[in-house]
Amino acid sequence: DENFADDVVGNAAALDVFKFLKIEVEDRPLLDWMQANDPDLQAALAEDSATGEAWMQSFSSLVREEQQPASHPLAKQIYWLTGDDPTDDGQYHLLQPLFASSFTHVIDAEIRDARFGELNKLARQARRERKAHDIPYRDYRGLVVRKLGGTKPQNISQLNSERGGINYLLDSSPPNWGKERALNLRGSESALYAFRWFDEVEALLKKLQKLLKANPDPNLETRQKREAIERNLGQQLAEFGAAVRGSHPPGWTRDSNCRLPLCEQLWLDSERTELPVRTDEHEQDDIEFNKAYDLGNWPDEVAKRFGAWLNERLRTAGINTVGDLELRHWSRQAILDTQWPIPIQRRASGGSA
C-alpha cells in the first residue's frame, strides 16, 4: 500500500543504504526506479553499463517481501486469563496485539499533524475563539507513549529511529466526564488545587485523614493501609498529569492567562519544547522554558510541591503533627512522567514549597 512506508532492520550500514534507497526523485523513491530498471538511473550510477546494471540488481535485491506475514521468535505478546482454566487457550484475552511498524508510522504522522500541523493549529485557534472554520479540528486525548529501543531506537528499525523510538498508544478507556472540572487550570496558581478534585483523589485524602486521626497502633497492618493510600495518591498524580497533557494542545502554557509555576508548566506542557521558538517578544520565554526542561530539576520541584500540598490538606483536616519529615515522605510518593519509557519516582528534598 502506497500509504505505508517500507521499514528495514539491520546494522548501521543497512540503515544507511535504505535511507539512500528512500530518496525520492519525481515523487518516487530510488528503489522503485531501480526495480523498474530505469536506464537513466543506471547511467547515473556508473559510466560502465555492466557496472550500473550490477549495482541496480544489488540494490533491488536488498529489499524483499515475505510471502506470508512473519514475526520474530523472540517477539512477546501479553495475554490475560479471563476464565478459570489456565490450560484452556480459549480463555485468554490478548492485551497487546502485534502491529506493523509501518502502521505505527502512519498513526504517528497523523497524531503529529494534529498536534503540530499548521492547518490544525488554525482550526484549534478558531475553536478556542468559538469561530467558524473551514477545516475540521482534530484532537487525540489520553495518549500514552511507549518508547522502543531506549537510547538506540535504530536497533529496532529505521522507522522507529525516525520517530525517536516513540510509539503512540490510543486511549481505549470510556470517557469520564467528571474529570473535566479538574482539568480546567485557567487562571490557577497551582495545578494541585485542581488535582484535589481529580478522579479518586478526594476519597483517598479522606481515607488518609481518617486513618491518621484514629492514631492507630504503629504495626504492620497500619503501615500497609497507609502505604496503599500513598501509592494510590502517587498514581493519581501521574494520571492527572497525563490527563492534563492529553486534554490541552502543546504550548497551552504560552497563554497569558496561565499562572502556573514554571515547574508545573514543564510537567503539564512538556511537548511545548517541541514547538518552534517564537520570534516575537516571547522568544526569550521559550528559550528559557526549553533550558529549564533540559536542566531536569522540575520533577523534584513538583514532587516537593506535592508533598507540601498534602501536608496542607492534612493540617486543614486538623492533623497538625505533619512537618518537614512528612513532606519529604509524601514527596517520594509522587510519580511524574519524564522522557524515560516508564514513570520515575522522584526523591524531593525537604523544606517548604
Side-chain angles (χ1 to χ4, degrees):
D1 192 316
E2 62 181 9
N3 293 323
F4 294 92
D6 293 322
D7 201 2
V8 65
V9 178
N11 56 28
L15 297 183
D16 288 340
V17 171
F18 190 67
K19 288 180 183 178
F20 169 69
L21 296 178
K22 288 179 64 178
I23 295 176
E24 292 192 356
V25 177
E26 297 181 3
D27 298 326
R28 292 180 63 187
L30 288 180
L31 178 61
D32 286 359
W33 292 107
M34 291 182 181
Q35 291 177 335
N37 295 318
D38 182 74
D40 294 334
L41 178 56
Q42 179 177 321
L45 289 175
E47 295 182 358
D48 178 61
S49 60
T51 302
E53 182 179 0
W55 284 8
M56 294 268 283
Q57 292 177 352
S58 297
F59 281 128
S60 298
S61 64
L62 291 177
V63 179
R64 66 180 186 275
E65 294 185 3
E66 299 290 347
Q67 297 300 318
Q68 294 182 346
S71 179
H72 194 278
L74 296 181
K76 297 178 176 63
Q77 291 180 281
I78 302 175
Y79 289 84
W80 185 265
L81 179 63
T82 58
D84 300 322
D85 184 5
T87 63
D88 182 4
D89 291 344
Q91 296 187 25
Y92 285 88
H93 177 72
L94 179 59
L95 295 182
Q96 182 176 299
L98 293 177
F99 48 84
S101 59
S102 55
F103 176 72
T104 304
H105 212 62
V106 173
I107 298 299
D108 181 86
E110 163 61 23
I111 292 176
R112 288 184 179 275
D113 183 65
R115 289 193 158 193
F116 308 113
E118 291 299 326
L119 293 179
N120 205 46
K121 284 182 182 179
L122 296 176
R124 183 185 300 123
Q125 184 65 30
R127 180 176 180 271
R128 287 180 182 173
E129 298 174 356
R130 299 184 180 277
K131 296 180 180 179
H133 196 70
D134 296 334
I135 301 174
Y137 168 59
R138 294 169 292 138
D139 189 16
Y140 295 90
R141 301 187 176 188
L143 293 172
V144 172
V145 174
R146 186 177 67 161
K147 299 199 72 173
L148 300 179
T151 58
K152 297 181 179 180
Q154 68 273 14
N155 287 348
I156 303 299
S157 74
Q158 174 61 32
L159 294 183
N160 187 72
S161 179
E162 292 178 11
R163 297 191 304 273
I166 291 177
N167 292 260
Y168 286 109
L169 301 180
L170 301 177
D171 185 9
S172 60
S173 60
N176 187 339
W177 307 114
K179 293 183 180 180
E180 292 299 321
R181 174 186 177 186
L183 302 183
N184 184 8
L185 303 178
R186 185 179 297 275
S188 178
E189 295 183 353
S190 175
L192 293 172
Y193 299 142
F195 172 63
R196 174 185 173 185
W197 306 109
F198 178 77
D199 204 12
E200 301 177 2
V201 174
E202 180 68 6
L204 290 170
L205 283 174
K206 290 181 178 179
K207 281 186 179 181
L208 183 59
Q209 292 165 0
K210 182 179 179 180
L211 178 65
L212 297 180
K213 281 183 176 181
N215 194 24
D217 295 332
N219 52 32
L220 179 61
E221 181 182 1
T222 299
R223 178 180 176 181
Q224 289 176 338
K225 288 182 179 179
R226 176 178 53 78
E227 289 180 345
I229 299 173
E230 293 169 356
R231 285 194 301 270
N232 287 332
L233 277 172
Q235 185 60 42
Q236 286 285 289
L237 188 67
E239 293 180 11
F240 174 75
V244 172
R245 288 188 295 273
S247 61
H248 292 72
W252 66 272
T253 54
R254 288 177 171 179
D255 192 298
S256 59
N257 291 321
C258 180
R259 300 166 61 187
L260 298 179
L262 179 59
C263 63
E264 293 187 11
Q265 293 184 37
L266 294 166
W267 168 40
L268 299 173
D269 191 17
S270 55
E271 288 192 344
R272 173 177 164 180
T273 58
E274 299 182 23
L275 298 176
V277 173
R278 290 172 288 184
T279 57
D280 52 17
E281 67 272 15
H282 301 292
E283 179 178 5
Q284 192 60 34
D285 294 338
D286 291 346
I287 293 175
E288 294 299 327
F289 186 93
N290 294 343
K291 285 183 178 179
Y293 185 86
D294 293 335
L295 185 61
N297 291 334
W298 57 269
D300 290 328
E301 295 173 5
V302 173
K304 186 176 177 181
R305 293 181 66 86
F306 170 74
W309 169 83
L310 187 49
N311 263 2
E312 178 188 355
R313 298 312 313 159
L314 294 175
R315 291 194 188 105
T316 302
I319 304 172
N320 298 315
T321 56
V322 292
D324 287 350
L325 181 62
E326 287 75 19
L327 185 150
R328 289 193 294 270
H329 177 76
W330 307 135
S331 298
R332 286 194 290 269
Q333 314 311 312
I335 301 178
L336 305 172
D337 293 331
T338 68
Q339 288 186 337
W340 296 96
I342 58 175
I344 290 182
Q345 281 189 307
R346 308 299 299 187
R347 297 293 184 260
S349 58
S352 59

